[in-house]
Amino acid sequence: MDLTIWILLISFIILLLINTPIAIAIAISTILTMLFSMDSIAALTTVAQRIATGLDSFALLAIPFFILSGYLMGQGGIARRLINFAMVLVGRFSGGLAFVNVIACALFGSISGSAVAATSAIGGFMIPAMNKEGYDKNFNTAVTVTASTTGMLIPPSNILIIYSLASGGVSIAALFMAGYLPGMLVALGLLVMCAFYAKRNNLPKGLKYSFSEGVHHLVAAIPSLFLIIVVIGGIIGGFFTPTEAGAIAVLYALLLSVGVYREISFADLPTILLKSVQTTAIVMLLIGASAAMSWMLSFEFIPQQFTQFILTLSENPLIILLLINIMLLVVGTFMDMTPAVLIFTPILMPVMAEMGVSPVHFGIMMILNLSIGLCTPPVGSVLFVGCSIGKTSIGQVTKPLLPLYAAMFICLLLVTFVPQISEWLPRVVGLIE
Amino acid sequence: MAYCKIVGALDNALQKLLIVLMALLLLDVTWQVLTRFLLTNPSSFTEELARFLLIWIGLLGSAHAYRHKMHLGVDIVVKSLSPKVSGFIAKIVQLITIAFSASVLVYGGTKLLLLAVYLEQKSPAMQLNMGIVYFALPLSGILLVLFAIEHMLTDTRFENNEIPVLDEEKL
């Protein structure tokens, strides 16, 4: 490998280790690498321009909207109605509240785009409720943290939009459809583990609702669930772009939470808007800096060099896929999902193309893989939020997390080696060949 | 400290601006959907305006997020060091941030801005000079430098500060 690659790698790793904001670390190591082939004025102007043009995309606008709608849904009573809905479905079994937690997280994921939003919205209600029923609080936190990552795969999903951008324009609609089955597979895996745990620990049965109560809760959840039809139906049917769907999701969530449920007042809105700006800006700076880096990578032919290097390791595509998965698991342990997707997508895409792995399949595999990292110590935003809600420490949550990781890992292997799990649904609706 | 007061006031103004920009963005795309479906006569400028608003929100919001220490980093190594060493490293990172902001955002961004003004580069739909769009780069850079200097002055206790909660009353 070239000297430029070493400059890039070493400067980037040092900057990361001293806790430089990742976006700035990306920009600076990009400039240092560029200085080898151009003068400093050209390098600085190019990076500034790539940052600005990297953000200049209509598809990216879906991200602030899904972030905003996530905050509105979390605070606006929508989360609780989804929980009640899940309670009617699975609450009556032994360990019912754990099942409710998993299903409510998946449902919340299917209307909102972020796992942290699901952790705080669903976990904020479910963890205390499970504690009260005598469930172990570390188990409760572990279930919430892992279950909320299903929202990364189940559309709408901000990270799939970011992947679409980083991969150079894979259809967002196709990625959204591809995420459904793997997301549900992970939820199913977690449910199975919860069932084992419930049986061994003799967890209490949850509430059994009378028929009329059940119907009442089901009906109450319909306006919230209607959002799935509007957003996903609209995107898949080609009625509107993901960005327009995001704006509609915000308006609909506003209408429900401010107008109908009256759990958010107009006075709360500036704070919610500011929170969304903060979350958006963090992602946007990363995207801008990564746009500069991916320009530099292709300018220096680095992905091609990396591909050649990887292909010398083994002839067997199964082994290469396994190696890449192990590498991503390590990366995901130390790095948040958004920067990891932005950095590794352009580098790994050519390897995948060489092995005949479709971009849709690769995207789903990578995001499921990094989801595991999102809830592994020592670094993981979802894990931190979960622990602070569950009032426990990362060390204590680790033990109940282990069987749940095992479930996620088995799902990862299935999704990696059975491309149909990701590709079947988008193919059926005609979004991919 | 007078400096911190001034920077604090600046950040408060920035917060208000960001809230307005975000509300504007939502209204703008809503308007686009409405004109496309109800009037079947899509408005031509909304998409462009939305993209430019996102550039402004992303860049100015980044400066605001930096002040509140929200940007993602890998803090596992720093956390395991003694407070004195990690405090020293934090200062270095603040200097790196200043170097990045001054060179890329302020210098590179100004170059880009001047070039757009000189070439009279206009946006296709709104006929807006692209210099106005690029102005977000140096502006965000200047704010980042100011906020980084503030961190250097105030982080004297050599700690890994938690993210300060935003002053919600002041909104």
Side-chain angles (χ1 to χ4, degrees):
Chain A
M1 290 197 278
D2 262 2
L3 180 68
T4 45
I5 296 186
W6 290 110
I7 300 283
L8 176 68
L9 264 180
I10 293 170
S11 62
F12 185 56
I13 290 173
I14 291 176
L15 287 167
L16 282 187
L17 290 180
I18 61 171
N19 196 19
T20 314
I22 299 177
I24 294 178
I26 292 173
I28 291 187
S29 50
T30 298
I31 293 168
L32 291 178
T33 315
M34 282 163 88
L35 287 179
F36 269 79
S37 36
M38 59 179 78
D39 70 279
S40 59
I41 295 178
L44 293 177
T45 324
T46 308
V47 171
Q49 189 195 12
R50 290 290 141 185
I51 290 177
T53 52
L55 300 187
D56 190 0
S57 141
F58 193 68
L60 269 186
L61 280 158
I63 293 173
F65 291 144
F66 283 124
I67 288 174
L68 180 53
S69 68
Y71 280 124
L72 289 169
M73 290 167 194
Q75 286 184 17
I78 293 173
R80 232 191 28 254
R81 282 166 181 84
L82 294 176
I83 291 172
N84 286 338
F85 174 75
M87 203 81 96
V88 174
L89 295 180
V90 291
R92 73 196 72 167
F93 303 111
S94 161
L97 288 183
F99 303 144
V100 171
N101 196 339
V102 174
I103 288 179
C105 279
L107 284 174
F108 194 81
S110 69
I111 56 172
S112 132
S114 114
V116 176
T119 311
S120 51
I122 304 294
F125 184 84
M126 285 309 295
I127 295 177
M130 292 164 83
N131 290 347
K132 221 167 102 191
E133 292 287 314
Y135 292 44
D136 173 34
K137 71 175 176 184
N138 297 317
F139 168 73
N140 305 342
T141 308
V143 171
T144 310
V145 165
T146 44
S148 68
T149 63
T150 56
M152 295 285 182
L153 294 165
I154 299 176
S157 156
N158 282 334
I159 198 72
L160 287 174
I161 297 171
I162 291 172
Y163 173 77
S164 152
L165 179 95
S167 62
V170 178
S171 146
I172 294 177
L175 286 168
F176 275 11
M177 286 318 275
Y180 267 118
L181 289 181
M184 289 182 198
L185 185 69
V186 173
L188 191 70
L190 296 176
L191 285 174
V192 170
M193 287 302 170
C194 288
F196 280 129
Y197 181 91
K199 188 136 201 195
R200 210 178 45 212
N201 291 282
N202 240 334
L203 289 181
K205 292 183 179 172
L207 275 178
K208 194 161 188 240
Y209 290 95
S210 72
F211 182 73
S212 66
E213 278 174 323
V215 171
H216 169 78
H217 284 308
L218 294 182
V219 171
I222 287 177
S224 304
L225 293 172
F226 185 65
L227 204 54
I228 302 176
I229 299 167
V230 176
V231 171
I232 304 303
I235 297 173
I236 305 302
F239 296 108
F240 28 74
T241 62
T243 301
E244 291 171 340
I248 289 170
V250 171
L251 293 177
Y252 191 78
L254 264 178
L255 187 80
L256 276 188
S257 54
V258 180
V260 181
Y261 300 155
R262 294 181 187 281
E263 300 200 18
I264 292 179
S265 72
F266 276 106
D268 299 328
L269 290 182
T271 313
I272 295 177
L273 283 172
L274 184 63
K275 272 196 202 161
S276 330
V277 168
Q278 290 163 341
T279 315
T280 303
I282 295 166
V283 176
M284 291 303 146
L285 191 64
L286 278 166
I287 288 176
S290 307
M293 187 176 76
S294 82
W295 182 87
M296 177 275 293
L297 288 176
S298 61
F299 187 79
E300 305 279 355
F301 296 103
I302 290 175
Q304 289 86 336
Q305 296 182 46
F306 183 76
T307 306
Q308 282 174 359
F309 166 72
I310 286 282
L311 294 177
T312 57
L313 292 179
S314 167
E315 304 241 307
N316 187 341
L318 297 185
I319 290 178
I320 292 182
L321 274 176
L322 206 61
L323 283 175
I324 286 178
N325 265 311
I326 292 169
M327 182 190 82
L328 286 173
L329 280 171
V330 174
V331 166
T333 310
F334 295 100
M335 197 185 271
D336 247 292
M337 194 184 252
T338 305
V341 166
L342 286 166
I343 293 167
F344 286 95
T345 304
I347 297 176
L348 293 175
M349 284 288 279
V351 184
M352 292 299 150
E354 197 73 29
M355 293 191 309
V357 174
S358 78
V360 167
H361 175 206
F362 171 55
I364 299 299
M365 179 193 102
M366 173 157 67
I367 283 157
L368 173 49
N369 182 311
L370 295 171
S371 294
I372 299 178
L374 217 51
C375 35
T376 47
V379 180
S381 47
V382 176
L383 185 64
F384 290 149
V385 175
C387 285
S388 82
I389 292 170
K391 295 195 177 59
T392 175
S393 71
I394 290 177
Q396 284 177 298
V397 180
T398 306
K399 202 180 154 218
L401 270 173
L402 291 175
L404 301 170
Y405 287 147
M408 289 177 87
F409 189 72
I410 292 169
C411 293
L412 173 63
L413 288 180
L414 282 171
V415 166
T416 302
F417 295 115
V418 188
Q420 286 81 0
I421 300 174
S422 326
E423 290 172 354
W424 181 73
L425 205 53
R427 192 170 292 138
V428 164
V429 292
L431 289 165
I432 55 173
E433 295 280 299
Chain B
M1 234 185 304
Y3 179 79
C4 298
K5 266 195 181 152
I6 295 169
V7 171
L10 210 59
D11 184 43
N12 264 323
L14 182 62
Q15 287 185 17
K16 293 204 177 83
L17 175 67
L18 287 168
I19 291 167
V20 172
L21 290 179
M22 187 74 184
L24 212 60
L25 178 63
L26 183 60
L27 288 178
D28 177 80
V29 178
T30 308
W31 179 247
Q32 161 158 337
V33 178
L34 282 180
T35 51
R36 209 154 72 83
F37 282 93
L38 299 183
L39 310 176
T40 58
N41 175 22
S43 142
S44 61
F45 72 92
T46 45
E47 178 177 331
E48 202 174 272
L49 179 62
R51 286 190 279 117
F52 295 165
L53 278 171
L54 183 67
I55 295 177
W56 273 73
I57 291 174
L59 288 169
L60 295 186
S62 290
H64 165 74
Y66 176 76
R67 181 166 190 258
H68 296 268
K69 306 193 174 177
M70 290 171 164
H71 284 289
L72 302 172
V74 181
D75 59 1
I76 173 163
V77 178
V78 181
K79 265 188 178 163
S80 66
L81 300 171
S82 75
K84 218 170 174 173
V85 179
S86 68
F88 177 70
I89 291 179
K91 289 264 185 294
I92 294 177
V93 172
Q94 283 148 4
L95 284 175
I96 291 174
T97 307
I98 292 174
F100 161 78
S101 313
S103 64
V104 176
L105 297 178
V106 180
Y107 178 78
T110 309
K111 275 246 159 205
L112 204 62
L113 187 163
L114 293 177
L115 195 67
V117 172
Y118 175 71
L119 296 174
E120 297 186 21
Q121 191 189 349
K122 297 262 169 66
S123 71
M126 291 192 294
Q127 289 295 304
L128 192 72
N129 191 301
M130 288 304 284
I132 298 174
V133 179
Y134 294 144
F135 181 53
L137 288 163
L139 188 59
S140 155
I142 292 169
L143 288 168
L144 271 165
V145 170
L146 292 176
F147 293 154
I149 293 174
E150 186 197 23
H151 284 329
M152 295 193 82
L153 291 173
T154 52
D155 290 0
T156 46
R157 279 170 298 135
F158 295 121
E159 283 171 3
N160 276 307
N161 294 30
E162 293 296 311
I163 299 161
V165 184
L166 63 156
D167 341 333
E168 292 187 3
E169 308 97 73
K170 284 189 191 156
L171 286 175

